[in-house]
Amino acid sequence: MKQNNWIPRKDSPGKRAVLLTGGAGFIGSHTYVALKQAGYEVIIVDNFSNALEDTPERLQQLTGSKVICYADDLLDRSAIRRIFDNHPIDAVIHFAAKKSVAESTTAPLVYYENNVSGLIGLLEEMRRASVFNLVFSSSATVYGSPETLPVRENAALSSTNPYGFTKLVCENVLSDLQKFDPRWNVGILRYFNPVGAHSSGLIGESTTGIPDNLMPYIAKVATGELPFLRVFGADYDTLDGTGVRDYIHVMDLAEGHVLSLEELLDGAGSHIVNLGTGRGYSVLEMLKSYETACGRTLPYQVMPRRPGDVGEVVADPANANALLGFEAKRDLDHMSKTSWNWMLQRMD
Ligand code: WQD
């Protein structure tokens, strides 16, 4: 049994404090809400490079309590050190990283510096502050194009792009750290395809620019900001020929982070789990679901396959369920409805 290094703090015995790096971003802001609901104290540090400026105000409106948020860059070591010096922190959930496959191929060094050097600097500041509980945001992209489906955590790991490699390198850094220093408790969460938004419509995925990912792109077709959906390939070996993915509602994902954190703080030890639903949906199924949500037919055109894409990637979430008691509860229609509600509020 791992040494449980969580000790109730003098100023608020029983209340645990968690630092969210990238906590104003898409997954981070939803995890903030889930943590507050679970009774945690939460501190955000975010450089707002991929987050709405008024996210802290929106979170304050949602949770009814003051938001502690530092607008700092993870690479600014003195700023990160100051946060640890000013707040007794029990654990860190690390979201702050660049995450676009396409962008990573044009700026690999930026990805390695942000994602790998950023993690190493954070770990050094955590060790200096004697904080050894970390939940790490990883991705199904570390599976490359999986041999067997659904994907289990012991599947072969590989990647064809710099972004995916940074996630692989970070996972190796963390596994070596735990191997040689038993004080560390690490939860590695491999997200499949996070989509949707909080049901209030107050927080959601950043919608600036032209999205790479499917649901935010469909959302902009639904608002009329984009003319039609490009369906990248309809000749895959799937039920309707279009790509199949394991979409998971962002609030299910957020709640999965709370379960991972509890596992670490309760001293049950480190884990690596897939966070997916175990159910895949095709591009056309997603499009149909969004048409129901927005109440109109959405135009699309079949295009050639996107380089690097595979036909089907679906998680086997059995390990997350057995280890953490994780089970995704929200279905595809809820994902589309909450995404559409977020888009409508954004347009007001
Ligand atoms: C889903 C399906 C496309 C857009 C990526 C990253 C992964 C993770 C999640 C960070 C595929 C098709 C898409 C469009 C389409 N991100 N599609 N038209 O590629 O599974 O995963 O995002 O961790 O690392 O690789 O997600 O949403 O881009 O694509 O037809 O305009 O939708 O071909 O089949 P993907 P996606």
Side-chain angles (χ1 to χ4, degrees):
M1 167 68 85
K2 280 252 180 204
Q3 171 64 29
N4 174 4
N5 55 21
W6 177 69
I7 301 147
R9 298 203 321 284
K10 289 182 294 303
D11 56 347
S12 53
K15 265 224 171 199
R16 298 161 166 172
V18 188
L19 172 65
L20 302 190
T21 71
F26 177 38
I27 320 288
S29 56
H30 289 78
T31 303
Y32 180 94
V33 173
L35 285 166
K36 292 296 281 183
Q37 277 166 350
Y40 286 87
E41 281 183 12
V42 191
I43 297 139
I44 291 173
V45 58
D46 200 309
N47 67 5
F48 286 86
S49 62
N50 192 21
L52 285 176
E53 217 170 281
D54 65 349
T55 300
E57 287 74 20
R58 292 162 178 265
L59 289 172
Q60 191 147 323
Q61 193 182 340
L62 255 179
T63 59
S65 59
K66 186 166 169 15
V67 174
I68 305 172
C69 178
Y70 292 89
D72 288 312
D73 194 301
L74 190 66
L75 296 174
D76 180 348
R77 291 285 293 273
S78 57
I80 302 301
R81 182 165 300 188
R82 237 186 337 272
I83 295 172
F84 281 101
D85 290 346
N86 294 343
H87 300 272
I89 287 160
D90 300 297
V92 175
I93 303 184
H94 181 39
F95 296 104
K98 288 188 162 297
K99 61 173 186 176
S100 161
V101 169
E103 186 189 46
S104 77
T105 60
T106 61
L109 276 185
V110 171
Y111 270 69
Y112 276 95
E113 185 185 35
N114 265 277
N115 294 4
V116 180
S117 307
L119 171 69
I120 293 168
L122 172 67
L123 293 170
E124 286 171 343
E125 292 310 321
M126 288 177 69
R127 185 174 54 192
R128 181 182 167 277
S130 299
V131 177
F132 296 102
N133 298 307
L134 175 77
V135 175
F136 176 69
S137 161
S138 191
S139 163
T141 203
V142 300
Y143 294 119
S145 34
E147 290 290 309
T148 51
L149 291 173
V151 191
R152 293 187 62 80
E153 288 83 357
N154 61 0
L157 303 182
S158 70
S159 184
T160 56
N161 60 79
Y163 161 70
F165 267 117
T166 66
K167 288 299 180 185
L168 273 178
V169 171
C170 289
E171 287 199 9
N172 283 319
V173 166
L174 293 169
S175 64
D176 278 349
L177 198 57
Q178 296 164 65
K179 214 182 292 172
F180 300 109
D181 182 345
R183 292 175 299 175
W184 285 95
N185 294 308
V186 176
I188 292 178
L189 309 183
R190 292 174 180 162
Y191 307 165
F192 278 67
N193 291 63
V195 293
H198 188 268
S199 50
S200 65
L202 278 170
I203 52 174
E205 190 161 8
S206 150
T207 54
T208 48
I210 299 187
D212 291 331
N213 296 142
L214 181 64
M215 185 175 269
Y217 198 102
I218 293 176
K220 286 203 163 185
V221 175
T223 60
E225 292 168 86
L226 291 168
F228 59 88
L229 171 68
R230 301 162 303 168
V231 176
F232 295 136
D235 58 351
Y236 286 108
D237 180 17
T238 60
L239 80 167
D240 58 20
T242 64
V244 170
R245 295 290 185 277
D246 186 332
Y247 299 98
I248 177 169
H249 194 280
V250 63
M251 279 315 294
D252 277 329
L253 201 60
E255 289 158 13
H257 285 71
V258 180
L259 292 172
S260 172
L261 182 69
E262 294 288 3
E263 183 81 356
L264 300 181
L265 291 176
D266 294 349
S270 300
H271 48 273
I272 299 179
V273 293
N274 291 334
L275 289 188
T277 67
R279 165 82 162 87
Y281 292 102
S282 73
V283 173
L284 294 181
E285 285 177 308
M286 169 75 83
L287 189 67
K288 188 163 170 39
S289 169
Y290 218 96
E291 289 179 332
T292 307
C294 70
R296 70 184 184 84
T297 309
L298 299 175
Y300 71 91
Q301 275 181 27
V302 176
M303 316 293 260
R305 293 183 177 188
R306 181 173 64 176
D309 267 358
V310 292
E312 186 164 351
V313 185
V314 175
D316 179 339
N319 212 11
N321 182 265
L323 273 178
L324 308 180
F326 173 77
E327 188 135 17
K329 301 191 288 282
R330 297 157 177 95
D331 65 12
L332 184 66
D333 286 343
H334 187 73
M335 297 175 203
S336 301
K337 268 189 214 126
T338 51
S339 166
W340 181 236
N341 182 44
W342 160 244
M343 296 305 278
L344 290 176
Q345 311 254 348
R346 194 181 63 85
M347 292 190 298
D348 283 353

